[in-house]
Amino acid sequence: MSNAYEMMAVACLCPKYMPVYDGFQSSTGEPENKSCINCSNYSEGVCNIDYYDTVAASLDQS
C-alpha cells in the first residue's frame, strides 16, 4: 500500500469501499475520513478484494 493520502483518495473512489464503524465520529457527525485503513476489505496492509491497484491507477489518469 502507499501513503495515507493515496489510501484516502482510493477509498473515496472505490466502488467496494465498506467502512468499519468503530464508534468514533467527527465533530460534524460524519464517520471518520474514508481510507483503505477504515475499510472492511483491508487487513494486514492488503486490499483483500484487489481493488487498490485498479482504483489507484485511475487516479494517475485524472
Side-chain angles (χ1 to χ4, degrees):
M1 286 282 165
S2 285
N3 67 49
Y5 294 111
E6 186 171 85
M7 285 195 270
M8 289 170 60
V10 167
C12 286
L13 295 175
C14 183
K16 297 290 185 175
Y17 175 76
M18 296 182 63
V20 176
Y21 180 68
D22 61 4
F24 291 102
Q25 292 183 333
S26 71
S27 60
T28 61
E30 295 294 318
E32 59 183 290
N33 293 335
K34 280 188 175 182
S35 174
C36 296
I37 294 170
N38 303 325
C39 181
S40 63
N41 295 313
Y42 176 88
S43 66
E44 298 180 15
V46 176
C47 176
N48 297 318
I49 58 172
D50 294 326
Y51 264 59
Y52 185 87
D53 290 333
T54 303
V55 176
S58 73
L59 292 173
D60 294 337
Q61 295 176 3
S62 52

